[in-house]
Amino acid sequence: MPEKKINIEYIARVEGESTLDVHISKNEITDLKLKVWEPPRFFEGFLVGRKYDEISDMVMRICGICPVSHSTTAIRALENAMQITPSAQTKKLRRLLSYSQVMSSDILHIYMLAAPDFLGYESVLAMVPKHLDLVKKAIKMKMVANELTEIVGGRAANPVTPKINGFYQVPSKERLNSVKKHLEAMQQDTVDTLKVVASLPIPEFERKTEYVCIRNPEEYTINEGRLVSTEGLDILEEEYRNHIIENQISYSNAKQCRIKGRGDFMVGALARVNNNYDLLSDKAKEAAEENHLKFPVYNPFANTAAQALEVIHLTTRCTEIIDEIDPKPEDTTVNVKAGEGHALTEAPRGLLYHGYKLNEKGIVEKAEITTPTTHNVLSMEQDLYKMIPEIMDLPEGKLALQCEELIRAYDPCFSCSVHTIKANVKKD
Amino acid sequence: MAEKKKLGIFKLTSCAGCQMRLLYYQHRELEALTAYDITYFKMGKRDNLENIKVDVALIEGCVTNSEQIDELKRIRENSTILATLGGCATRSSLWGLKNNKPEKEIEEKAYKDLSTIHSIKAIPVNDVVKVDYLLPGCPVGEDEMTEFLQSALVGRRPFIKPHSVCVECKMKGNLCILVAKKEPCMGPVTAAGCGALCPTNGRPCYNCRGPMIAANAPALAKEFKKNGLSDEEIYLKFTAFSGLSKVYEEVTDRA
Amino acid sequence: MSVRNNAYVPEMATIEKIERETNDVNTYTLTFKDKAKQKDYSFAGGQFNMLSIFGFGEAPISISSDPQDRNEIQHTVRKVGGVTEALFNLKEGEVLGMRGPYGRGWPLKEAKGKNILVVAGGIGLAPLRPVITQVIKNREEYDRFELLYGARTPGDMLFTDEFDHWQKVKNFRLLFSVDAVPKDQRWDHNVGVVTTLFDQMSSTPSRTIVMTCGPEIMMKFALKALLARGFNSSQIFLSLERRMECGLKKCGHCQIGEKYVCSDGPVFPWAEIKDIPEIVGWK
Amino acid sequence: MPKIMDEKELQSLLGLLIKEYRFIGPVRKDLETGFGEIKSLKELVKDYTNTIEPPKYLFLTPQETLFSYEMKKEEITITKTEEQGHAALGDRPSLWSEGIAVEPLQGKAIQQVIFGVRPCDVHGIRMMDKVFKEDFDDTYYQSKRNKTIIFSVTCTSVSDYCFCQSWGTGPSLKDGFDLLLTDLGDRYLIETGSKEGNEIIGKMRLRDATPMELKQKAAVIKATEAKFTRKLNIKDIQQIMISQPEHPTWKDKADRCLSCGNCTSVCPTCYCFDVQEKGDYNPSNMERYRLWDSCQLLEYSQVALGGNFRRERISRLKQFMMHKLSFSYPQYGDFHCVGCGRCIKWCPTSIDLTEVAKDLRGE
């Protein structure tokens, strides 16, 4: 048996920088390392000493793809620390903001990052000559989602309106209605997207890991809820730290997470759909059935289909929320208090945790951030351990490609996963 | 049809938000991306050509380890026009906060074994290689990115606004919240290009674009103080996104 | 509103000829595409045109050709900025935009029957070439003519191929100086800044009109030296450089004191500007 | 002949104007009042002293295309020269065009009305008209200006910043308007200053003002005049402003100056602009446009090779104040200051040109 070495020097079309090293000897994996070498940025370090009202703007810069998630999570954690309960209007606007970002990020991942894999292209740009219509459709949908983020958040990338206890400025009903029209117009496109995604050939692979996300019985949620899993986890967000543990690993700048007493787990769109399928809109369920999708699914490659499915749901849901609100300026005064607060939200890539400790002046004394990809890294490695033996016979190049595709299916965000390097690192 | 110009997009230490601005948040991305022959763009494509000559190189992120210095020098050698893409590359932005304290102090806090750590101070790109154009913004402004990409197509020098956010704010007819509400707006010392985004959205500018060239930081700091901000709060305002810029050093220098 | 009546819209002009003067200076010979426009066009030495390099922008460039030659217009241009760089990439036969002429030129009328002293530095000789051409063509109308010309190096001197011709003109005196002589270049004249030529010059304040153009720092020193030698403020004329966006007294950039350099200048008698606060320090 | 109208008649006049013209008037902008396009009478603000921005933005738009062109080989075609206004930041999609959006005025028949222009601003417009007419017509400015009716309102309130009285550019107005409204308390005096103004009022059946009512107007003005707290001594101001360029007050103010450009942006008589070229992803389509510029900005006086004639902040500050209170007079026969006080009010560090003038005078 020949010795095989898979070295994917960098995993393309994902956010951030990572390397996969697999060493196979006599049909056995002797070494497998997913190295995230996105340079550390010491976020948790330099947030200490900053003021509470700066945190949301700063943590947004953890990730260029899900700034809304970091902002919302930080704001909610800080509100929890200062015992602030935002208004119903604020909660709804935050939902719009979060949903819009999940939608656009999902669309981005489906079309620009994952679709080229399934259609056999090296990039979305390479798809342009033959699939111009598809690319244009994707761009149109993404534009609508971005437009919604921009209207509520002031800017699609790194929004500026969210603040603790509300918004600096609320969008006018008029502008919300204008984007609502666009949302309605793209509904068919979202259904078509699922059709395209469901028809793409994905590798047959299954590994029954634990799927973790938040759940709110009232609504397919992205923000606010209990932490649940397909294996029966069901806890409050402030209990997160008691159940999810992080380990520093020697070969990577990202940490690895596991559930206390159990093991690796997967977060992200697939986890959300696996746990919350019942909460999806009728339209989304209908589309799932039409495309013969049944959840829960234990194939990580199905993450893309889960993304497409949730886009159908969220598009409808956003139009409903717009109908429910007529935003008015509100008092968003913050009474600064010392305290500790935690929050969990669903970033597009999955579970995101922020925790802060504030002193009486509102200065951060301790900050903790765990990102979706940090949650997922271990599961990726476990998937690879299971998948590689199943496809061992493939030539090296194809084997490497499928490994890369598996990682990409997670929609990972390696820059995210690195900011969380902790102050005290233990080397093996 | 002449051959398309070659464009390489490279990433150092950053959040990738500026690359996303190209791929994702832009209004005319298809036009922008197909106007060039993109030879290197790890976040956007699989086939990337290392070490080839490009007409235009865009650098996202700042340098935080020594390998990046070598990489950057290689890119510079291989490119005709080199521009920074966003605040990190332009002035190390948020990551500059790491430079705030002695290097060793921070690293010792983070790692027990320093032998494997190659992290150095956060250095903006133009402190390492010659940069033709600096495109600020966190993320890079769509207007200036578009202006740059369009001008580089023909070899025109891009018009990157060097003045303060106030100019754009006034062009929009906004109420000045610094004057009218005494809110600590960083607009007067911040580089324009965002269309006075924050004041337009009812909040004071928080300097995410970094300093404008002719900024008078002490004068604004004095005004903040008059409006009731503490020295500590003023320090935080001027340090958040400017990587301890020299332009602000009269306010931020605590030595 | 027709394009013709819109003062911001340039006329199309063709580059007929490009001549290399120095490493970074070329002379461009232009004609309007519209033949009627070319026929009607007249200018005075010292005036400038706004040249548009399409795709790049517009810049004010002084005219360096003979005002009496109605068939073509020349601009001698140094490659210094975005627009001039783009101009250097154009080839003969290509099209650019031109509008003008703008501003006040050299006082050739006042100089009639008098002596002329020209003090020029570097590219500053370009707007003064029309003066030289005019004096040569109408030699009998003027008295003694003296040119003090300085450049960084011998290789940076403009119009050197015309020097021989100028030397031969009656009552013409040319004095040259360079700041430095590189090893591989030959130089038989003075070395030093242009003002060091003042000791060799024969011009006196009596019945003399002085015209000077060059870097501002050079003009400052020339002015000091001239005033010290007894020249008075109404016989010294300077051509000023300022940023211009329109050439039409609208964009505001070229103002110094109450003057618009684009319209009241670029040529000013020293008497007119000497009290402007921003200029006072020159004395 | 001045006419008299009651509240109802005024409302119906304004209602008519809103219907028939693009109607710009004072609207609420957060804590202050600014100009905005008005679609219904409800939006109109009455109790304001002056607007945040001067009305100049309607004629000298913050950013506007001068012309577009197409480049094909040797052929360059100017494709569009029509004077038009753009949203403040160019051709951004709808999301960006909040703030001052200036729509093109199309066709000759369509006109706009600016209501509520204060007398100082009418003088500002008069001065700008001169600047953009001198030597040749700036078609971009004039085309918008010529299609505009100025509906001015005599001031009855005075802010801490106002000093128009010192120049005689307010609180009342003698000419420069199409229509002028004076609030007499229980009724309005309306005067016309142009053929267009006459035509509008001619449609209404209004009675002539009585001599008593004209006296009442004078009394209103007198009462307003008594309210001024800020004054600028304009005697010999042209010489005084330039007499002491080394006076310590300059340095004192320059140390505070942020070089932010707010003073020139809000000045009703500041007209400087920058010209830039803009491309497209199809490089043969180009556009030349202009946008507001300010002498307070470092790049304003920059020339090739990095030369800069006003590198020092103090020299830029002097340029602004000296131009307003001295240089402009020999240039245009007007001091380009109307006493609106905006440059003082909106200066983040409260730099005050009336104070500088006082210091230079040694008062």
Side-chain angles (χ1 to χ4, degrees):
Chain A
M1 263 296 153
E3 217 171 72
K4 279 190 189 176
K5 225 180 181 173
I6 300 172
N7 169 256
I8 303 173
E9 228 177 278
Y10 63 89
I11 296 162
R13 302 202 317 269
V14 300
E15 213 235 351
E17 313 256 355
S18 55
T19 305
L20 176 65
D21 276 328
V22 183
H23 196 211
I24 302 163
S25 183
K26 294 181 187 137
N27 258 353
E28 298 252 322
I29 299 172
T30 53
D31 190 23
L32 188 155
K33 285 189 181 99
L34 180 59
K35 298 175 185 169
V36 179
W37 42 270
E38 176 78 26
R41 286 179 286 164
F42 307 98
F43 252 92
E44 289 167 327
F46 64 65
L47 287 178
V48 172
R50 308 298 306 191
K51 220 174 138 205
Y52 71 95
D53 59 1
E54 299 180 290
I55 304 307
S56 145
D57 294 326
M58 291 186 145
V59 295
M60 258 184 233
R61 273 72 187 187
I62 288 177
C63 173
I65 207 164
C66 51
V68 171
S69 305
H70 283 286
S71 154
T72 315
T73 317
I75 284 175
R76 281 202 37 246
L78 291 163
E79 282 171 351
N80 289 341
M82 296 190 276
Q83 290 150 14
I84 291 166
T85 316
S87 70
Q89 172 181 302
T90 296
K91 286 184 178 180
K92 285 212 164 150
L93 285 171
R94 276 185 196 160
R95 271 187 198 155
L96 272 184
L97 202 57
S98 305
Y99 291 176
S100 68
Q101 187 202 243
V102 170
M103 282 157 66
S104 62
S105 176
D106 280 352
I107 294 162
L108 171 87
H109 183 249
I110 294 167
Y111 284 99
M112 308 217 165
L113 308 178
D117 276 342
F118 302 130
L119 293 169
Y121 289 93
E122 67 94 18
S123 74
V124 71
L125 289 171
M127 284 167 59
V128 167
K130 279 207 172 159
H131 298 275
L132 185 62
D133 283 350
L134 196 68
V135 174
K136 277 192 173 163
K137 195 183 271 183
I139 287 177
K140 204 178 98 195
M141 282 192 277
K142 173 217 74 174
M143 289 270 293
V144 174
N146 281 348
E147 193 186 349
L148 181 56
T149 318
E150 195 163 336
I151 284 174
V152 182
R155 172 167 62 185
N158 295 345
V160 297
T161 59
K163 73 184 283 278
I164 295 173
N165 200 21
F167 285 82
Y168 284 101
Q169 189 166 291
V170 294
S172 68
K173 182 82 181 169
E174 201 184 336
R175 296 189 75 199
L176 287 171
N177 280 339
S178 75
V179 71
K180 189 188 145 197
K181 274 188 211 139
H182 296 156
L183 284 165
E184 284 165 351
M186 82 175 222
Q187 265 168 1
Q188 189 53 44
D189 288 346
T190 64
V191 175
D192 294 349
T193 298
L194 181 64
K195 212 179 205 169
V196 172
V197 172
S199 70
L200 296 172
I202 58 167
E204 271 178 41
F205 168 71
E206 260 186 19
R207 188 176 71 89
K208 206 174 173 210
T209 184
E210 188 164 357
Y211 287 85
V212 178
C213 71
I214 58 171
R215 180 179 167 91
N216 176 344
E218 285 163 29
E219 175 160 3
Y220 183 92
T221 193
I222 295 300
N223 195 0
E224 292 181 281
R226 290 176 68 83
L227 188 64
V228 300
S229 82
T230 46
E231 302 298 311
L233 187 73
D234 187 359
I235 56 167
L236 289 168
E237 63 183 351
E238 51 264 43
E239 294 174 308
Y240 168 87
R241 269 276 165 257
N242 303 332
H243 291 83
I244 311 286
I245 46 172
E246 283 177 312
N247 291 321
Q248 179 63 38
I249 40 174
S250 61
Y251 55 78
S252 170
N253 288 337
K255 289 177 283 190
Q256 289 186 346
C257 287
R258 57 186 81 225
I259 300 175
K260 208 184 246 176
R262 299 214 274 268
D264 67 282
F265 57 97
M266 181 175 176
V267 301
L270 186 56
R272 289 194 286 270
V273 174
N274 275 347
N275 280 302
N276 294 325
Y277 184 82
D278 59 316
L279 296 169
L280 288 174
S281 68
D282 293 345
K283 193 168 189 147
K285 283 183 196 156
E286 225 171 80
E289 278 158 31
E290 264 173 38
N291 292 291
H292 314 292
L293 295 170
K294 272 215 173 100
F295 294 88
V297 171
Y298 299 104
N299 179 350
F301 290 99
N303 194 36
T304 317
Q307 288 174 326
L309 188 59
E310 82 181 350
V311 170
I312 301 178
H313 168 83
L314 294 174
T315 309
T316 326
R317 185 62 197 130
C318 284
T319 60
E320 288 167 9
I321 296 177
I322 290 173
D323 282 339
E324 291 163 17
I325 52 172
D326 183 7
K328 295 280 176 278
E330 292 178 316
D331 180 13
T332 60
T333 318
V334 173
N335 293 317
V336 179
K337 248 188 235 167
E340 212 175 314
H342 312 268
L344 286 175
T345 64
E346 285 290 325
R349 275 143 208 85
L351 192 67
L352 172 63
Y353 164 79
H354 280 230
Y356 299 97
K357 194 176 165 202
L358 294 178
N359 70 13
E360 71 292 343
K361 281 183 176 164
I363 303 293
V364 172
E365 290 188 332
K366 193 178 156 204
E368 282 185 321
I369 298 164
T370 310
T371 64
T373 303
T374 309
H375 290 134
N376 271 336
V377 173
L378 189 57
S379 175
M380 289 179 201
E381 280 190 2
Q382 295 303 317
D383 276 354
L384 289 166
Y385 270 116
K386 180 157 191 286
M387 188 180 78
I388 291 169
E390 292 173 12
I391 55 169
M392 194 70 88
D393 297 337
L394 288 176
E396 243 172 53
K398 285 211 167 148
L399 185 54
L401 181 63
Q402 190 166 326
C403 291
E404 198 183 324
E405 284 170 4
L406 175 89
I407 293 165
R408 208 147 40 227
Y410 272 81
D411 188 7
C413 172
F414 290 115
S415 14
C416 267
S417 59
V418 177
H419 339 110
T420 48
I421 287 288
K422 252 194 135 179
N424 290 308
V425 178
K426 262 192 193 164
K427 307 272 296 178
D428 295 330
Chain B
M1 185 77 193
E3 225 176 86
K4 282 183 190 173
K5 287 205 173 182
K6 287 190 170 63
L7 171 68
I9 297 144
F10 305 90
K11 180 180 183 297
L12 304 174
T13 302
S14 65
C15 77
C18 293
Q19 297 188 50
M20 291 314 281
R21 190 97 207 192
L22 256 173
L23 190 64
Y24 179 49
Y25 293 119
Q26 212 190 147
H27 288 93
R28 296 174 69 187
E29 59 184 49
L30 205 55
E31 277 176 88
L33 295 175
T34 52
Y36 286 91
D37 171 14
I38 298 181
T39 57
Y40 196 92
F41 186 12
K42 275 204 234 169
M43 233 175 97
K45 57 192 292 220
R46 272 193 90 227
D47 297 347
N48 293 299
L49 306 166
E50 302 267 358
N51 292 326
I52 67 150
K53 299 262 178 215
V54 294
D55 297 293
V56 183
L58 282 169
I59 314 288
E60 183 197 73
C62 63
V63 168
T64 61
N65 67 43
S66 47
E67 289 86 351
Q68 290 171 332
I69 293 185
D70 300 334
E71 188 190 348
L72 192 52
K73 285 182 177 161
R74 258 196 327 271
I75 299 168
R76 175 70 268 191
E77 276 168 28
N78 282 324
S79 52
T80 314
I81 297 175
L82 183 144
T84 60
L85 188 68
C88 302
T90 304
R91 38 151 233 293
S92 75
S93 200
L94 211 54
W95 323 136
L97 286 175
K98 179 174 169 295
N99 304 355
N100 221 336
K101 291 171 193 150
E103 212 166 313
K104 222 179 154 203
E105 193 180 303
I106 279 221
E107 286 184 6
E108 274 172 354
K109 219 175 153 194
Y111 298 95
K112 275 185 184 157
D113 177 8
L114 289 181
S115 64
T116 60
I117 300 304
H118 307 293
S119 186
I120 53 175
K121 272 189 192 298
I123 313 169
V125 171
N126 54 331
D127 284 1
V128 179
V129 294
K130 179 183 161 273
V131 172
D132 299 299
Y133 302 108
L134 295 166
L135 310 181
C138 186
V140 62
E142 186 170 340
D143 275 357
E144 52 217 341
M145 192 177 72
T146 307
E147 165 70 9
F148 174 78
L149 288 172
Q150 291 176 344
S151 64
L153 274 183
V154 289
R156 178 166 42 89
R157 294 182 181 185
F159 172 52
I160 307 297
K161 294 176 178 171
H163 48 249
S164 72
V165 167
C166 296
V167 175
E168 291 184 320
C169 201
K170 286 286 169 291
M171 283 170 91
K172 284 198 152 185
N174 290 339
L175 175 81
C176 175
I177 48 181
L178 171 58
V179 171
K181 299 184 179 173
K182 307 278 173 223
E183 286 183 18
C185 182
M186 291 288 283
V189 294
T190 302
C194 55
L197 185 71
C198 288
T200 307
N201 281 286
R203 67 176 288 188
C205 163
Y206 62 94
N207 191 236
C208 79
R209 297 177 57 80
M212 70 138 172
I213 41 170
N216 186 351
L220 186 64
K222 220 182 244 178
E223 198 60 29
F224 285 173
K225 197 155 189 183
K226 233 163 73 187
N227 294 343
L229 262 67
S230 69
D231 287 341
E232 182 60 25
E233 285 169 319
I234 292 169
Y235 176 80
L236 290 175
K237 289 261 167 226
F238 280 85
T239 50
F241 284 90
S242 291
L244 298 185
S245 163
K246 277 214 168 353
V247 183
Y248 295 160
E249 82 190 336
E250 283 174 76
V251 176
T252 55
D253 199 1
R254 293 179 141 182
Chain C
M1 182 61 61
S2 82
V3 176
R4 282 286 129 87
N5 293 332
N6 187 331
Y8 293 101
V9 179
E11 296 281 339
M12 300 300 154
T14 310
I15 302 177
E16 302 291 346
K17 202 161 78 182
I18 303 175
E19 289 158 283
R20 185 173 179 277
E21 302 285 351
T22 73
N23 267 339
D24 58 356
V25 179
N26 283 352
T27 293
Y28 292 83
T29 305
L30 311 172
T31 56
F32 284 108
K33 279 202 142 189
D34 179 345
K35 295 297 159 221
K37 175 81 196 169
Q38 182 67 44
K39 232 178 106 204
D40 293 346
Y41 186 89
S42 69
F43 71 94
Q47 283 193 304
F48 65 95
N49 282 319
M50 294 297 291
L51 295 190
S52 282
I53 312 306
F54 291 106
F56 295 86
E58 205 176 30
I61 310 277
S62 61
I63 309 168
S64 61
S65 54
D66 178 4
Q68 279 177 320
D69 185 351
R70 287 297 183 90
N71 297 318
E72 52 184 39
I73 303 152
Q74 286 184 330
H75 291 89
T76 301
V77 187
R78 187 165 163 217
K79 189 156 79 169
V80 287
V83 176
T84 48
E85 259 168 31
L87 174 61
F88 271 64
N89 289 330
L90 294 186
K91 295 177 194 66
E92 287 176 3
E94 292 195 274
V95 174
L96 47 71
M98 178 155 70
R99 58 189 180 91
Y102 296 123
R104 171 163 67 165
W106 298 109
L108 274 169
K109 270 195 190 133
E110 287 97 314
K112 277 196 181 152
K114 293 182 189 159
N115 306 315
I116 295 175
L117 168 64
V118 167
V119 184
I123 189 75
L125 187 59
L128 281 158
R129 185 165 71 152
V131 172
I132 300 170
T133 337
Q134 280 296 293
V135 173
I136 294 174
K137 270 199 177 169
N138 309 290
R139 193 63 199 95
E140 66 291 347
E141 291 180 22
Y142 305 93
D143 208 338
R144 277 200 335 263
F145 181 92
E146 193 165 32
L147 166 69
L148 315 186
Y149 180 40
R152 280 171 302 176
T153 70
D156 290 311
M157 295 223 128
L158 305 181
F159 313 126
T160 43
D161 52 347
E162 293 169 49
F163 286 179
D164 279 350
H165 173 57
W166 296 352
Q167 298 270 22
K168 285 176 199 142
V169 180
K170 207 179 108 201
N171 239 341
F172 244 61
R173 189 154 183 257
L174 309 181
L175 294 173
F176 301 117
S177 186
V178 292
D179 300 347
V181 185
K183 275 187 193 139
D184 55 337
Q185 288 178 25
R186 201 193 126 115
W187 185 246
D188 304 330
H189 303 271
N190 189 54
V191 176
V193 293
V194 69
T195 39
T196 58
L197 291 172
F198 278 90
D199 290 336
Q200 304 169 34
M201 101 184 153
S202 58
S203 298
T204 60
S206 163
R207 294 202 303 98
T208 301
I209 295 287
V210 186
M211 306 180 197
T212 177
C213 182
E216 206 151 295
I217 181 88
M218 178 219 97
M219 291 201 285
K220 267 186 214 180
F221 282 108
L223 187 73
K224 267 195 188 133
L226 289 163
L227 293 172
R229 279 171 169 75
F231 287 85
N232 70 44
S233 60
S234 51
Q235 68 190 123
I236 305 169
F237 291 79
L238 310 94
S239 178
L240 298 185
E241 181 204 12
R242 281 296 180 276
R243 183 164 157 199
M244 291 173 196
E245 297 291 334
C246 70
L248 298 161
K249 259 176 101 170
K250 299 287 174 282
C251 79
H253 287 83
C254 69
Q255 294 177 82
I256 42 165
E258 63 195 64
K259 304 293 181 191
Y260 280 93
V261 172
C262 70
S263 309
D264 302 322
V267 176
F268 291 99
W270 172 242
E272 234 177 63
I273 53 172
K274 68 183 172 56
D275 295 327
I276 290 173
E278 282 190 317
I279 298 256
V280 163
W282 286 30
K283 273 185 268 191
Chain D
M1 189 64 200
K3 306 273 184 189
I4 290 293
M5 53 176 30
D6 59 19
E7 184 68 40
K8 225 177 105 192
E9 283 166 322
L10 175 64
Q11 295 296 318
S12 76
L13 171 65
L14 294 175
L16 186 84
L17 294 175
I18 289 172
K19 219 174 98 195
E20 289 190 7
Y21 301 93
R22 188 157 91 97
F23 191 91
I24 312 289
V27 294
R28 186 66 61 215
K29 273 191 188 170
D30 205 332
L31 301 174
E32 291 270 337
T33 303
F35 280 117
E37 188 167 350
I38 287 176
K39 302 264 192 233
S40 116
L41 273 175
K42 280 187 302 202
E43 298 165 59
L44 208 59
V45 172
K46 277 184 142 185
D47 57 336
Y48 71 103
T49 303
N50 214 345
T51 46
I52 302 170
E53 68 283 82
K56 73 170 175 191
Y57 80 92
L58 290 162
F59 313 129
L60 181 66
T61 37
Q63 180 170 322
E64 68 184 323
T65 305
L66 295 175
F67 57 87
S68 349
Y69 54 94
E70 236 179 79
M71 300 192 290
K72 278 180 190 158
K73 285 192 178 162
E74 271 96 81
E75 223 35 67
I76 287 147
T77 326
I78 308 276
T79 50
K80 195 172 63 182
T81 58
E82 220 16 66
E83 317 71 15
Q84 52 184 285
H86 263 308
L89 281 154
D91 51 355
R92 297 296 312 232
S94 59
L95 299 173
W96 271 64
S97 48
E98 282 202 315
I100 303 180
V102 183
E103 294 297 323
L105 294 171
Q106 284 158 343
K108 280 195 178 105
I110 301 174
Q111 302 210 332
Q112 65 181 353
V113 174
I114 320 180
F115 173 72
V117 186
R118 292 299 185 189
C120 58
D121 281 343
V122 174
H123 280 278
I125 294 173
R126 178 179 62 74
M127 291 171 193
M128 291 283 264
D129 286 353
K130 251 198 224 178
V131 172
F132 285 97
K133 224 179 171 59
E134 184 107 336
D135 296 338
F136 79 99
D137 277 355
D138 182 293
T139 52
Y140 307 96
Y141 178 94
Q142 296 294 352
S143 66
K144 289 180 275 270
R145 175 70 182 91
N146 293 341
K147 290 173 185 171
T148 305
I149 285 167
I150 308 282
F151 195 153
S152 182
V153 177
T154 306
C155 293
T156 50
S157 63
V158 171
S159 82
D160 293 346
Y161 304 97
C162 298
F163 59 99
C164 58
Q165 190 187 27
S166 304
W167 291 116
T169 49
S172 63
L173 193 61
K174 290 200 171 57
D175 48 28
F177 55 85
D178 295 289
L179 292 164
L180 173 66
L181 191 73
T182 307
D183 189 348
L184 299 180
D186 53 352
R187 73 215 104 129
Y188 298 94
L189 185 81
I190 186 145
E191 294 160 84
T192 57
S194 69
K195 201 177 95 224
E196 287 79 8
N198 272 328
E199 273 169 22
I200 289 169
I201 294 306
K203 288 178 201 155
M204 302 180 80
R205 293 183 179 194
L206 299 174
R207 72 169 170 84
D208 288 349
T210 64
M212 194 58 193
E213 282 162 334
L214 292 177
K215 266 189 197 159
Q216 240 178 304
K217 178 191 171 185
V220 166
I221 292 165
K222 212 168 170 198
T224 312
E225 278 172 345
K227 294 179 191 166
F228 282 86
T229 52
R230 183 179 295 271
K231 284 193 170 60
L232 173 73
N233 181 353
I234 62 164
K235 187 170 179 289
D236 300 327
I237 190 80
Q238 189 191 341
Q239 285 71 40
I240 282 164
M241 282 310 285
I242 58 172
S243 60
Q244 300 174 72
E246 305 305 323
H247 192 287
T249 191
W250 290 116
K251 188 180 176 306
D252 176 51
K253 304 297 177 288
D255 285 347
R256 267 157 61 191
C257 176
L258 298 168
S259 292
C260 63
N262 278 349
C263 46
T264 58
S265 296
V266 296
C267 178
T269 65
C270 269
Y271 48 83
C272 289
F273 60 81
D274 187 15
V275 175
Q276 292 288 343
E277 223 82 349
K278 190 158 79 181
D280 193 35
Y281 287 115
N282 172 358
S284 58
N285 295 334
M286 294 288 305
E287 188 179 300
R288 186 168 292 172
Y289 68 102
R290 69 176 173 191
L291 70 166
W292 286 359
D293 205 345
S294 163
C295 57
Q296 296 311 294
L297 310 181
L298 181 64
E299 70 270 23
Y300 178 86
S301 298
Q302 195 148 316
V303 290
L305 299 175
N308 196 325
F309 296 100
R310 290 189 200 109
R311 202 179 291 282
E312 302 302 318
R313 187 171 288 123
I314 192 167
S315 62
R316 303 199 289 272
L317 186 73
K318 282 183 199 169
Q319 172 62 21
F320 171 68
M321 293 195 178
M322 288 182 178
H323 189 241
K324 294 288 131 186
L325 301 186
S326 180
F327 306 149
S328 54
Y329 189 75
Q331 285 177 332
Y332 296 101
D334 289 315
F335 286 102
H336 278 183
C337 173
V338 296
C340 69
R342 286 188 182 96
C343 60
I344 309 168
K345 179 170 180 178
W346 297 113
C347 174
T349 60
S350 318
I351 297 173
D352 180 345
L353 87 170
T354 62
E355 195 185 302
V356 172
K358 257 187 215 161
D359 290 346
L360 295 177
R361 205 182 279 280
E363 278 171 359

